[in-house]
Amino acid sequence: MKGLLAVLILGSTLYAQTPSGNRDPHVPLSSIFGSKLASSLPHADSVPVSVTGVTNGASFQPGIEGGSWVTIQGANLANTNPGRIWKNEEIVNGALPTSLDGVSVMINNKPAYVYYISPTQINVQAPTDTSVGPVNVVVTNNGSVSPPATAQLQLFSPAFFQYSGTSYAIATRYPDNALLANPASVPGTVAAKPGDVVILWGTGFGATNPNTPAGVVVTGAPSVANPPVITLNNSITAPVIGAALSPGSAGLYQIAIQLPASTPTGDVTVQASAGGLQSPATIKIFVSN
């Protein structure tokens, strides 16, 4: 898996890197998250901070995993408007920031790693935690503390990132790193073909070997300890060639599969099963001959 696709964090942008080391600026982290990154009304100090939702950062559904990406929605979450992502200088010696512009997040009484802040949305990497069950999520905005919100902490929370505004999984083809989707829906992409090696990008796929803590830029390409099972159209098992955290990233998994010769054309659903939990069944790739 290590040789298939490396990932670099350069400043605040994620770039694909080919095996030869050439940068391929096709996959910015902000597009991977698919976040709305919406602006809101200016923050009013007299209005309390509130959290209305805590979800998986890829599927936007309940259930989060330690080390996975998490989306927090609410009101008055940050004074920064429009929102912003972390800056290169805020990643110090590979350590990710736990606060941006006075905004921090605690998940199960542990600091999360803050990637994006805005008045209505925050994206964080959840801290390492093997607890299971309901946990508190608290946002602090320059001294104003939200009432605790509840999230369900799990050992797995598999999900694939999607192109913003679509249900197509962000996927790339090995070895040319072409972006894959329906080009009619996602300009600049191409269709996958049966037999292709396809790399899916996701979060929440569990522990790695060696173990990789949250909050640091990943080195090497630590393999997923329990690789997922990938099913196409609810009936076709796609061989998993490799599953690993992407080097130079944080909490971002790359799952490499080979499309069987029997893969049908058109929209094809792709679902992962990890630790007895499934990613959303509505996510798809696009295949042609």
Side-chain angles (χ1 to χ4, degrees):
M1 186 64 189
K2 183 176 180 180
L4 291 181
L5 186 67
V7 175
L8 298 175
I9 291 179
L10 301 175
S12 57
T13 305
L14 186 69
Y15 290 90
Q17 179 175 308
T18 65
S20 63
N22 296 320
R23 294 175 189 169
D24 184 9
H26 289 309
V27 193
L29 191 56
S30 57
S31 71
I32 279 184
F33 284 136
S35 307
K36 295 179 181 178
L37 306 185
S39 62
S40 183
L41 295 174
H43 174 75
D45 292 333
S46 61
V47 180
V49 179
S50 64
V51 175
T52 57
V54 181
T55 58
N56 181 299
S59 67
F60 304 106
Q61 294 187 358
I64 63 173
E65 177 218 339
S68 68
W69 285 100
V70 176
T71 294
I72 299 168
Q73 294 180 312
N76 304 301
L77 300 177
N79 299 345
T80 305
N81 188 16
R84 75 168 181 93
I85 60 178
W86 62 37
K87 301 174 183 176
N88 186 52
E89 58 267 25
E90 290 168 324
I91 302 173
V92 180
N93 296 324
L96 306 181
T98 56
S99 177
L100 296 182
D101 297 351
V103 176
S104 61
V105 176
M106 300 290 286
I107 298 178
N108 199 22
N109 299 313
K110 299 180 180 181
Y113 304 94
V114 184
Y115 167 72
Y116 172 79
I117 57 171
S118 77
T120 58
Q121 182 171 309
I122 301 174
N123 285 0
V124 301
Q125 185 190 24
T128 299
D129 197 332
T130 57
S131 302
V132 174
V135 297
N136 286 339
V137 177
V138 176
V139 173
T140 298
N141 177 11
N142 289 278
S144 297
V145 182
S146 73
T150 301
Q152 185 70 24
L153 192 59
Q154 304 168 172
L155 295 180
F156 298 87
S157 182
F160 296 120
F161 292 107
Q162 302 119 61
Y163 297 100
S164 185
T166 80
S167 58
Y168 287 106
I170 292 180
T172 52
R173 180 178 62 201
Y174 179 77
D176 65 354
N177 290 341
L179 287 171
L180 301 175
N182 184 343
S185 300
V186 185
T189 62
V190 298
K193 299 181 182 299
D196 280 352
V197 173
V198 173
I199 300 173
L200 301 162
W201 300 83
T203 194
F205 284 88
T208 60
N209 185 18
N211 184 54
T212 306
V216 297
V217 176
V218 174
T219 58
S223 298
V224 173
N226 296 289
V229 174
I230 305 296
T231 304
L232 307 178
N233 273 2
N234 300 311
S235 60
I236 302 170
T237 300
V240 175
I241 297 173
L245 280 173
S246 296
S249 73
L252 180 65
Y253 294 79
Q254 51 189 55
I255 312 298
I257 63 173
Q258 184 162 31
L259 298 183
S262 59
T263 303
T265 57
D267 287 342
V268 175
T269 61
V270 55
Q271 187 173 36
S273 177
L277 296 172
Q278 286 73 43
S279 63
T282 55
I283 306 306
K284 57 195 180 184
I285 58 176
F286 186 76
V287 181
S288 72
N289 290 319

